[in-house]
Amino acid sequence: MNEQARQYVEEFMSRLIARNPGEPEFHQAVREVAESLAPHIVASPVLLKMKILERIAEPERIVIFRVPWLNDRGEIEINRGYRVQMNSAIGPYKGGIRFHPSVNLSILKFLAFEQTFKNSLTTLPMGGAKGGSDFDPKGKSDNEVMKFCQSFMTELQRHIGQDTDVPAGDIGVGGREIGFLFGQYKRLRDEFSGTLTGKGRDWGGSPLRPEATGYGTCYFAEEMLATRGESLRGKRVCISGSGNVAQYACQKASQLGARVVTLSDSSGFIHDPEGIDAAKLDYVMELKNIYRGRIREYADRYPSATYHPGQRPWGIACDVAMPCATQNELNGDEAQTLVDNGCRCVVEGANMPSTPEAIRIFQQHRLLYAPGKAANAGGVATSGLEMTQNSMRLTWTPEEVDERLHAIMRNIHEVCVRYGTQEDGYVNYVAGANIGGFMKVANAMLAQGCV
Ligand code: NDP
Ligand code: 2IT
């Protein structure tokens, strides 16, 4: 980066931090993008004059609302609901809903900001958004989750719609929650529309939407490895998390011939050197999705595995790492350990799981490293395909959706290579994804004037 670009980033960031104090995750996500884009922006008088980056980093609208509900003891509980509508330059707002006690404005603004670039990379017409609540689904009964979802949607329904804003799942929001949210939306608005994605297969959901994020992450890994004449076959893979993304990343990686040796949750990780095969993954899916249990139970069931409480899986030797749990779950020290243990490829199923220090280490050591906004875009891409099917009032076959998902991931990889290849031939996927995702949004904003 030249001096002018560096100065642009620092001035831009100090204004952003002053306008958005106490929001470290939002600052982190914006800085990464600003650093990738700065050389292009300072070279473009029109981008500078039209303040495109300044506008992209300012949400178009944020809604914050009270979510009161009655628990099973008949007591009133109060949570806070949010929807950050970041950018609608290329389509209706689109992005997931997260239910987790850590949810706050900083986290949702970082996620909505990332989503804008990710959605653009899919080539589908979707703007960027994210929403959620500090509600903690852990330990709640199905009845309590339903009550909460109904109260949350009673307010949210005013702000969303199939041509306005189309939410989906994220951490703590899966098929069960989307069902309750959709039921209440339909009841209040008296319409059966594609306003949420991730719906059940029998009521408007797309085949493969549950699988799409994890599968897409593996398809992206295959493309990256192919640039070095390699593939997932025979590779040892460390995965973090054991939720939606982790489960289907594990399934596809195994189908493609890899040996997945770890899974985790916020309490610890399991290491199974023999590999988590299809039968063991069936057990994990039942444990997590039906009984809502903890990953430590895997080690009670399978003697080949050990459980490591309070630890993350990055100390286990692997060829490929797939962080699939949450933001900032892989720090600089852990990145160095992965490198020292021979890891060659890091593909992010989660959003912003690697800290800036970790990313620096991966890039310094010339690892294949792909950020979430490229590698995990298969989830929202398949949500986009669900929107298309809903508009056409028909359902494609799983094979057709898989083919489109695969093509989209291949295309995103090509865009990253096009915009991210350095003079020495190294592909900087961070730069590639940020520049590739930015172009379409920036051009749309230029065309649409000062809005
Ligand atoms: P789930 O709720 O299904 O699973 C989340 C997993 O991550 C659980 O194993 C959970 O463990 C773990 N986890 C959550 N928070 C933390 C934390 N603070 N520290 C350690 N572990 C944690 O969510 P998803 O699988 O859907 O999402 C995982 C990641 O993928 C997120 O970053 C999400 O934004 C991203 N993503 C999701 C997409 C989707 O389609 N669902 C699409 C693209 C990205 P525990 O049970 O202990 O909380
Ligand atoms: O982070 C993400 O891309 C998601 N949680 C999926 C969003 C969506 O609208 O499918």
Side-chain angles (χ1 to χ4, degrees), residues 88 111 160 171 186 206 251 290 299 332 359 391:
S88 61
L111 288 163
I160 61 176
I171 290 177
K186 182 166 62 65
S206 175
Q251 183 170 82
I290 297 172
I359 296 172
S391 296

Side-chain angles (χ1 to χ4, degrees), residues 83 94-98 111 115 118-119 126 129-130 166-171 197-198 209 213 245 349-351 372 376-384 387:
R83 187 71 179 165
K94 180 84 195 88
I97 293 180
R98 178 177 291 193
L111 288 163
Q115 198 81 47
K118 185 196 302 190
N119 292 3
M126 300 181 290
K130 203 82 185 191
V166 183
D170 192 76
I171 290 177
T197 59
R209 175 61 189 90
T213 311
V245 180
N351 286 308
N376 73 34
V380 73
T382 306
S383 280
M387 290 167 71

Side-chain angles (χ1 to χ4, degrees), residues 28-339:
Q28 180 183 337
V30 176
R31 177 177 280 279
E32 183 210 277
V33 168
E35 287 179 352
S36 297
L37 296 177
H40 304 268
I41 291 178
V42 297
S44 164
V46 68
L47 290 178
L48 276 174
K49 177 162 166 267
M50 295 305 284
K51 300 206 172 164
I52 296 296
L53 189 59
E54 283 82 347
R55 280 195 276 152
I56 285 185
E58 182 72 25
E60 289 180 11
R61 185 180 299 107
I62 300 179
V63 188
I64 303 182
F65 51 95
R66 178 169 68 202
V67 189
W69 55 281
L70 285 175
N71 68 21
D72 286 347
R73 296 182 300 282
E75 298 156 353
I76 291 178
E77 300 225 15
I78 299 146
N79 288 99
R80 188 170 294 169
Y82 305 83
R83 187 71 179 165
V84 178
Q85 296 177 333
M86 201 73 183
N87 194 295
S88 61
I90 62 168
Y93 304 111
K94 180 84 195 88
I97 293 180
R98 178 177 291 193
F99 292 164
H100 193 271
S102 64
V103 162
N104 59 33
L105 210 45
S106 173
I107 289 176
L108 295 180
K109 280 166 72 177
F110 115 65
L111 288 163
F113 181 78
E114 295 262 300
Q115 198 81 47
T116 301
F117 296 84
K118 185 196 302 190
N119 292 3
S120 165
L121 283 168
T122 67
T123 68
L124 303 175
M126 300 181 290
K130 203 82 185 191
S133 174
D134 59 358
F135 174 73
D136 186 358
K138 280 201 195 72
K140 303 289 193 298
S141 68
D142 284 351
N143 183 54
E144 289 176 320
V145 171
M146 182 180 74
K147 293 268 192 57
F148 172 80
C149 287
Q150 291 182 339
S151 182
F152 182 85
M153 184 51 87
T154 299
E155 174 59 33
L156 187 68
Q157 57 92 18
R158 301 173 211 287
H159 310 288
I160 61 176
Q162 61 178 347
D163 298 318
T164 314
D165 184 353
V166 183
D170 192 76
I171 290 177
V173 178
R176 173 182 63 167
E177 291 74 19
I178 293 292
F180 295 148
L181 291 164
F182 184 78
Q184 185 73 348
Y185 180 85
K186 182 166 62 65
R187 183 184 183 196
L188 293 170
R189 297 276 291 250
D190 196 18
E191 66 179 42
F192 195 114
S193 66
T195 299
L196 289 143
T197 59
K199 300 184 289 299
R201 277 285 292 280
D202 296 332
W203 40 280
S206 175
L208 284 191
R209 175 61 189 90
E211 293 87 346
T213 311
Y215 280 20
T217 303
C218 291
Y219 294 156
F220 200 88
E222 285 285 66
E223 295 298 315
M224 296 170 82
L225 289 162
T227 65
R228 297 193 181 169
E230 295 186 57
S231 75
L232 278 169
R233 183 156 299 283
K235 298 280 188 298
R236 276 166 315 168
V237 179
C238 276
I239 294 180
S240 66
S242 48
N244 172 270
V245 180
Q247 290 169 17
Y248 288 105
C250 179
Q251 183 170 82
K252 185 51 75 178
S254 307
Q255 286 171 2
L256 292 169
R259 183 150 47 106
V260 177
V261 293
T262 68
L263 286 173
S264 74
D265 59 26
S266 55
S267 311
F269 78 91
I270 56 105
H271 177 210
D272 187 345
E274 289 180 6
I276 301 163
D277 60 19
K280 290 170 174 175
L281 184 61
D282 280 346
Y283 165 76
V284 171
M285 288 184 173
E286 191 176 284
L287 172 72
K288 300 301 288 189
N289 308 348
I290 297 172
Y291 298 107
R292 302 196 182 263
R294 306 300 296 162
I295 200 66
R296 72 167 135 51
E297 295 168 57
Y298 181 102
D300 302 334
R301 168 89 177 224
Y302 297 107
S304 55
T306 48
Y307 176 63
H308 305 259
Q311 290 182 51
R312 302 195 281 216
W314 314 126
I316 302 298
C318 64
D319 306 298
V320 178
M322 294 189 187
C324 295
T326 193
Q327 65 276 355
N328 292 326
E329 55 158 320
L330 200 173
N331 66 27
D333 290 343
E334 290 163 324
Q336 190 60 54
T337 304
L338 281 169
V339 171

